Amino acid sequence: MNILFFLTPKNEVAYIYNDFTMRQAIEKVKHYGYTAIPMIDRDGRYIGTVTEGDLLWYLLEHKDEEPNLESIRIGEIDRRTTHCAVNAEMNIESLVKLIMNQNFVPVVDDRERFIGIITRKAIVQYCAKHVIDLEKV
């Protein structure tokens, strides 16, 4: 099965650019209620995923400095977790192994351009439907 069947395309996904300020990133995460958000560069290449924890750890580690959230570029903060991106050619078995440890898996094209995400929810819904269908047999 082609993993693109599960893809939520980029135009339906909230993401941030690596040159966003920390304030912009926090506002976007808050607005969408996300715990993690993909980060791309202005050429559309996937850079990594920023989590709530990354933001909170940065603030805790710099609490004595009273950081100016307008001057900190989100691409400059340390990310504590590596969210692996996959190519659209990945097989479903490998995708399932990744999605067990991530809320979503970023998907990139052959030029490393971000094209969307596959959510854990989409995979679980697919599996649940097939389990229910098997029980009917």
Side-chain angles (χ1 to χ4, degrees), residues 78-91:
D78 291 333
R79 292 185 309 279
R80 301 200 180 275
T81 308
T82 300
H83 285 77
C84 299
V86 300
N87 188 285
E89 303 299 319
M90 177 173 252
N91 64 49

Side-chain angles (χ1 to χ4, degrees), residues 41-89:
D41 67 15
R42 292 291 175 172
D43 291 326
R45 284 187 288 279
Y46 175 73
I47 303 295
T49 296
V50 176
T51 67
E52 286 178 325
D54 298 332
L55 302 170
L56 291 171
W57 276 108
Y58 183 90
L59 293 172
L60 284 172
E61 290 169 351
H62 296 86
K63 66 181 179 211
D64 295 333
E65 303 168 24
E66 294 185 37
N68 177 353
L69 300 183
E70 289 292 334
S71 64
I72 303 161
R73 297 288 169 214
I74 200 67
E76 298 170 4
I77 71 166
D78 291 333
R79 292 185 309 279
R80 301 200 180 275
T81 308
T82 300
H83 285 77
C84 299
V86 300
N87 188 285
E89 303 299 319

Side-chain angles (χ1 to χ4, degrees), residues 129-137:
K129 179 185 180 310
H130 282 66
V131 166
I132 291 167
D133 290 346
L134 286 173
E135 289 177 349
K136 290 179 183 177
V137 174

